[in-house]
Amino acid sequence: MGSTTLSALHNLFNRKNLRRLIKLLLLVGIFMAITLAIGKLYQKWDDDPARGALAIDKGAFGENYSTPIYLDQGWSANDSLWFYNTTQGSALIPYDFFIALEQAEVNEPFRANSLIDQYRYLPQKPTFFNPDGLPVGFVKEGYKGKDYIGFTCAACHTGQVNYKGTAIRIDGGPAMADMVGFLTALEKSMMRTLTDSEKNQRFVSSVLALNNSYSRAEDVQSDLKRWTRKINLYNTINHSQVEYGYARLDAFGRIYNRVLEHVISRRQLRDVLLSATKADGDTNLLTLAQVDKVLLNISETIIGDLQFAKIIERLMSTEEGFPGLGLEDMERVKAMIFNEPNAPVSYPFLWDIAQSDYVQWNGLASNAGMGPLGRNTGEVIGVFGILDWTAHKRGWSLSSLLTGQSSKSYQIDFTSSIDLVNLSRLESHLKSLTSPVWPSIQTRTNNPEQQKANAIFEAMPEWRIDYAKVRRGRKVYAEYCESCHEVVDRTDWDRILVANMSSIDLVGTDRAMAENSVNYAGYSGNFKNTYQSESVGSLVIKDRAPVVQILTAATMGEVATEPDPDKWLPRRTLDWLYLMAKSFFDNEIKASVKSGDYLPDTTAAPYQSLLSYKARALNGIWATAPYLHNGSVPSIYDLLLPIKRPGDPDTGEYRPAQFMVGSREFDPVRVGLRAEGYPGFEFKADKRGDLNIGHEYGTARAPAVNGKKLEPLTAEQRWDLVEYIKTL
């Protein structure tokens, strides 16, 4: 066959392939367009004008309020309700268990509004997307044919402030939630249901009466024991000597621990148990025979929730051949595997998150490319995503390639309940969310809810804006604050918010969160001896490695795995292709160098830049108390004061060293929340994780701003600055 013929055939083949590729891309595009159109239409179906919000009478801490009103944050009623009720793959316990469960000490439902309000979640009435009237951020989640109660983003990122019986919901605002208290109460209720025969009988009968997969009482009892062990395991692993109270959570510490629980291999765990010693540091806690008995029939590669619960039971068992460890010895074993989540931080607010270059308090997550998907995947791991991670013999998969496992004898398959498609949709949804405007500020708005709020609060003198103070405060802000906290237009669609990073030595605030993010380490399991690319070059993940490396590898494996095993295979593949394309082409945030005054990463210290905290624009900051990254200051006015040091005169003004947290009652003068006079959680700024130090700008102890040492603010200047910040 001549060269001309070969050339013609070659061109024809290329043209045919090109046409096929174009047809395939058109089909994918049409499929995605139809899917998105249906999704948008469906999203509009829940349009309750009150957005499901309820009035509360005889609420926690004596707070009673009428049906909450909303401000104009760019979202309609159905936008808010879609955000509250969109699943992300969280699975706390079986759904019907949550519906049927009673409180530990009374025969009232665990999901009663009184208990929900006590732990400062937000009760809701039934609406189209929420027929059972679950609280904001609680949702019915389906996975592999079973239903679960799970958390959505809104559980931690929907706020509310109250004032004299009027409540304002803040979409994307920080929750006042006490998640630790809630999960502790949940465990107690489940334990009581196991041991109290009357409660147990009512529970089993209620579950069987619901429309679910349970048909036998024995199956309900078995799953109740299993899920009680899982909640107990989570609470045990994450117990901390630092009490969080309300409005704070060490989310990263808990995400880290959950990843370590699923990544550690049997060999690594065996080495830990064999090396564990008693308090004297010399005597082994377990014999070789006891270790082998504890690990009998435990998976070689992936352990996970249920097997870990079984291991703990065996370690504490007093039956023949088991070690029978007490709580003190168990704490030593736990400390060898996990890290104490002792750096609680305030729940971040979400407006402008989609327009930010770096997110998280210490700028850990870049928002460029696949960053948002990886960040949100880590979040679902922390809030009880089911991680059906298994190990299989060597073979090709994208996840094994991207996580460096291609040459391993075993490779991790990252199947899970995490809903990557919804995570991407939620991130896109947040693009239209804007920060709340101080009610009573007369802005141009056709939003009837904002108009109602303005009318209510304009009638209250303490909420009116003093514009003479605002003008003076603007000058103070420009000189003292704006070099770190830029002023942005909340409605500018093209805005990009640049995080201004300050090293922990410079800003001086509590170091716990930043240091833990860098220093915490754990066993890397199958990721051992794999490579990970960082800004300074490629790093080899060691047997015991920084948890930030292990988390990065795990989320990369999750993102590279086709989402939602419940869906038809072609649909999963198309969903995954759409996610990859969307992450790269629809994300307007591009990779960039961090801004600010911080220590850069080096080959010797590849995560050194994380030893810093982020300053961001302060629009809407009035609705996000308490302040500083760890919630250690109750109001903006208090934040402008110095801390009291030994030798300081008692007559001066200082940040409060202790105050009450839990009330949503707002202080429009100091701009914060009610900090005394009720039986909430008493916050004390007396130990690492809780310190209210640093960020003393405007005081005599302030560091230089742009190389210039500024004079301390007078009391009048502080009040002028507070007044201006209200308008941001």
Side-chain angles (χ1 to χ4, degrees):
M1 187 178 290
S3 60
T4 303
T5 305
L6 286 172
S7 177
L9 286 173
H10 180 70
N11 291 335
L12 177 63
F13 179 74
N14 284 343
R15 286 198 297 273
K16 284 184 176 178
N17 280 347
L18 181 60
R19 284 197 296 270
R20 288 171 181 164
L21 179 60
I22 291 172
K23 287 180 180 178
L24 177 61
L25 291 174
L26 284 173
L27 286 172
V28 171
I30 292 169
F31 172 79
M32 290 304 173
I34 293 172
T35 301
L36 288 172
I38 293 173
K40 285 292 184 184
L41 179 64
Y42 179 70
Q43 184 176 326
K44 301 294 183 183
W45 287 357
D46 200 345
D47 58 356
D48 176 68
R51 311 191 195 199
L54 284 172
I56 290 294
D57 184 37
K58 298 179 181 178
F61 315 130
E63 287 186 328
N64 306 324
Y65 54 85
S66 58
T67 301
I69 58 177
Y70 282 75
L71 304 178
D72 184 3
Q73 293 187 251
W75 279 2
S76 63
N78 44 51
D79 287 330
S80 295
L81 288 165
W82 186 85
F83 177 67
Y84 299 164
N85 299 300
T86 294
T87 61
Q88 58 176 355
S90 170
L92 179 61
I93 59 173
Y95 187 78
D96 288 338
F97 283 19
F98 186 73
I99 297 298
L101 189 67
E102 294 178 352
Q103 297 175 39
E105 303 302 328
V106 295
N107 297 338
E108 295 294 319
F110 186 80
R111 68 189 189 104
N113 284 344
S114 56
L115 184 137
I116 296 301
D117 183 56
Q118 177 185 338
Y119 292 106
R120 305 273 79 179
Y121 291 104
L122 297 167
Q124 292 281 91
K125 66 181 180 182
T127 63
F128 179 81
F129 285 145
N130 183 20
D132 289 322
L134 302 173
V136 168
F138 287 65
V139 71
K140 187 177 186 178
E141 176 79 57
Y143 178 64
K144 291 188 174 180
K146 295 186 177 181
D147 293 329
Y148 302 92
I149 187 75
F151 290 105
T152 75
C153 301
C156 298
H157 303 289
T158 305
Q160 181 170 307
V161 296
N162 303 336
Y163 190 71
K164 295 182 178 180
T166 298
I168 305 173
R169 284 278 169 90
I170 308 292
D171 279 337
M176 182 55 73
D178 174 10
M179 180 179 278
V180 175
F182 178 81
L183 294 175
T184 301
L186 177 64
E187 180 188 347
K188 288 180 180 176
S189 294
M190 295 175 76
M191 290 290 292
R192 186 67 180 271
T193 304
L194 281 172
T195 58
D196 185 314
S197 59
E198 292 185 4
K199 276 187 179 291
N200 184 270
Q201 185 177 4
R202 287 195 299 271
F203 174 81
V204 173
S205 298
S206 296
V207 171
L208 291 175
L210 296 167
N211 183 22
N212 54 42
S213 58
Y214 293 107
S215 58
R216 300 189 315 149
E218 293 83 353
D219 295 334
V220 178
Q221 298 282 20
S222 176
D223 268 10
L224 177 60
K225 292 177 183 176
R226 183 165 70 96
W227 284 91
T228 301
R229 284 198 298 268
K230 289 182 72 170
I231 297 300
N232 172 262
L233 172 69
Y234 179 88
N235 288 342
T236 300
I237 287 174
N238 291 297
H239 176 71
S240 174
Q241 299 301 313
V242 175
E243 292 186 82
Y244 301 177
Y246 296 96
R248 306 194 305 164
L249 187 73
D250 187 348
F252 261 112
R254 289 162 178 260
I255 293 169
Y256 278 4
N257 282 342
R258 194 128 197 276
V259 168
L260 292 178
E261 177 193 341
H262 284 76
V263 164
I264 190 171
S265 68
R266 185 181 186 275
R267 179 196 62 76
Q268 290 171 330
L269 183 56
R270 188 173 187 272
D271 290 345
V272 168
L273 297 179
L274 286 174
S275 63
T277 61
K278 295 184 178 179
D280 59 16
D282 295 321
T283 310
N284 287 342
L285 273 179
L286 298 90
T287 66
L288 177 59
Q290 287 173 332
V291 170
D292 288 339
K293 191 171 180 67
V294 166
L295 297 180
L296 182 66
N297 297 325
I298 297 298
S299 169
E300 288 289 334
T301 49
I302 299 297
I303 295 177
D305 293 325
L306 293 178
Q307 292 197 86
F308 237 109
K310 184 181 293 184
I311 290 167
I312 288 177
E313 286 182 4
R314 290 175 176 179
L315 286 170
M316 301 184 74
S317 174
T318 56
E319 293 181 13
E320 184 177 355
F322 290 107
L325 300 184
L327 291 177
E328 186 177 338
D329 290 335
M330 284 298 298
E331 282 294 320
R332 271 191 286 277
V333 173
K334 186 179 80 170
M336 297 175 71
I337 304 170
F338 302 106
N339 301 283
E340 183 182 349
N342 58 7
V345 297
S346 295
Y347 299 102
F349 53 87
L350 295 189
W351 48 84
D352 300 328
I353 191 170
Q355 293 86 6
S356 298
D357 60 348
Y358 286 88
V359 297
Q360 308 298 0
W361 288 111
N362 65 336
L364 175 65
S366 168
N367 241 3
M370 301 292 293
L373 202 55
R375 160 172 53 84
N376 290 322
T377 295
E379 176 258 328
V380 184
I381 289 174
V383 290
F384 312 104
I386 296 176
L387 307 180
D388 281 336
W389 296 354
T390 56
H392 55 77
K393 293 288 187 178
R394 181 187 300 178
W396 190 90
S397 71
L398 182 61
S399 62
S400 64
L401 178 67
L402 294 180
T403 56
Q405 298 180 83
S406 299
S407 61
K408 294 280 186 177
S409 300
Y410 287 88
Q411 295 166 355
I412 297 175
D413 174 23
F414 293 93
T415 300
S416 75
S417 66
I418 298 172
D419 193 330
L420 298 177
V421 174
N422 276 357
L423 290 180
S424 179
R425 294 171 70 202
L426 284 161
E427 189 75 15
S428 295
H429 192 66
L430 288 167
K431 288 182 179 180
S432 59
L433 179 69
T434 59
S435 55
V437 176
W438 179 272
S440 83
I441 292 181
Q442 299 301 316
T443 59
R444 291 183 180 179
T445 178
N446 295 321
N447 184 292
E449 292 167 304
Q450 182 76 50
Q451 291 172 346
K452 179 181 178 181
N454 289 347
I456 291 172
F457 290 97
E458 176 63 23
M460 302 178 185
E462 61 272 32
W463 282 84
R464 292 177 194 155
I465 296 295
D466 185 331
Y467 286 97
K469 285 185 175 182
V470 169
R471 286 189 291 273
R472 296 194 300 267
R474 178 66 183 97
K475 295 178 182 178
V476 176
Y477 189 91
E479 185 175 7
Y480 285 79
C481 312
E482 197 165 359
S483 61
C484 290
H485 300 285
E486 63 176 322
V487 177
V488 300
D489 178 355
R490 59 170 44 83
T491 62
D492 180 6
W493 186 259
D494 296 325
R495 66 190 183 279
I496 294 178
L497 280 79
V498 178
N500 194 295
M501 307 304 301
S502 296
S503 74
I504 53 178
D505 291 327
L506 177 64
V507 74
T509 52
D510 189 282
R511 306 169 68 93
M513 185 270 171
E515 289 181 339
N516 288 1
S517 72
V518 173
N519 298 334
Y520 272 0
Y523 290 95
S524 58
N526 213 47
F527 297 130
K528 178 184 177 182
N529 293 337
T530 61
Y531 289 87
Q532 192 168 105
S533 295
E534 296 295 342
S535 61
V536 296
S538 292
L539 305 175
V540 177
I541 300 179
K542 299 178 181 178
D543 187 58
R544 187 164 174 83
V547 190
V548 65
Q549 289 182 348
I550 302 169
L551 175 61
T552 299
T555 55
M556 189 181 298
E558 277 285 351
V559 169
T561 301
E562 289 181 356
D564 204 339
D566 291 342
K567 291 180 181 176
W568 186 43
L569 178 60
R571 171 69 187 278
R572 297 204 309 267
T573 304
L574 288 173
D575 279 350
W576 186 84
L577 289 172
Y578 167 72
L579 284 172
M580 298 304 105
K582 185 175 182 295
S583 294
F584 283 104
F585 298 114
D586 189 46
N587 188 352
E588 297 178 3
I589 302 300
K590 309 304 178 187
S592 61
V593 176
K594 287 182 180 177
S595 175
D597 190 351
Y598 60 93
L599 297 174
D601 296 329
T602 67
T603 53
Y607 301 108
Q608 187 170 234
S609 66
L610 299 181
L611 295 174
S612 57
Y613 289 123
K614 177 185 67 173
R616 59 182 290 180
L618 300 184
N619 49 303
I621 198 70
W622 66 269
T624 67
Y627 297 103
L628 288 184
H629 72 276
N630 62 341
S632 59
V633 180
S635 76
I636 288 179
Y637 183 82
D638 292 318
L639 184 59
L640 301 178
L641 301 174
I643 64 167
K644 190 174 188 301
R645 293 169 170 78
D648 285 342
D650 293 334
T651 55
E653 279 194 286
Y654 306 101
R655 293 178 188 173
Q658 58 190 59
F659 56 92
M660 304 306 294
V661 185
S663 174
R664 296 193 181 100
E665 189 70 12
F666 195 73
D667 180 348
V669 178
R670 300 176 80 89
V671 187
L673 295 171
R674 183 183 178 196
E676 59 186 10
Y678 64 96
F681 171 76
E682 186 176 25
F683 179 92
K684 295 181 179 179
D686 59 358
K687 56 181 174 294
R688 182 181 184 271
D690 289 338
L691 300 177
N692 64 350
I693 58 176
H695 197 280
E696 292 180 281
Y697 299 102
T699 74
R701 297 186 175 92
V705 176
N706 292 331
K708 179 183 177 183
K709 186 71 174 177
L710 301 176
E711 291 294 318
L713 296 175
T714 64
E716 182 183 30
Q717 287 176 313
R718 284 198 294 270
W719 287 118
D720 289 345
L721 183 54
V722 169
E723 198 74 5
Y724 171 69
I725 290 174
K726 292 178 185 179
T727 69
L728 292 176

